[in-house]
Amino acid sequence: MDGRAHWLTCALDGRDHAVLAHDPESGAHRGACGRTVWASSLASPPATRCPECSVATGERDAADRRPTLLDRLLGLRPA
């Protein structure tokens, strides 16, 4: 994947997707997994990341992700 991924929570499936492109006319985004992503409120906390997007962006396995001390203090879930 070229460039840096922007992760958005999809209003339809509740998962974070790596966004590759944005259609300004419809407001839809294209995820690295190939799905159309409709952004939920940008004020919502991060959700579980889409496994297909994680693979497409070269991220490590989601099972390896552990919350940091700051995450635990703030009550954040691992992404």
Side-chain angles (χ1 to χ4, degrees), residues 4 7-9 11 14 19 25 35-36 38-39 49 58 63-64 68 79:
R4 184 180 165 119
W7 291 86
L8 289 177
T9 303
V19 171
E25 289 184 24
R35 291 185 180 95
T36 299
W38 296 95
R49 288 193 171 180
D64 293 339
T68 65

Side-chain angles (χ1 to χ4, degrees), residues 49-63:
R49 288 193 171 180
C50 169
E52 292 89 5
C53 285
S54 293
V55 169
T57 58
E59 286 196 353
R60 60 188 172 159
D61 186 2

Side-chain angles (χ1 to χ4, degrees), residues 28-53:
H29 304 271
R30 174 64 59 193
C33 62
R35 291 185 180 95
T36 299
V37 178
W38 296 95
S40 65
S41 168
L42 296 179
S44 62
T48 302
R49 288 193 171 180
C50 169
E52 292 89 5
C53 285

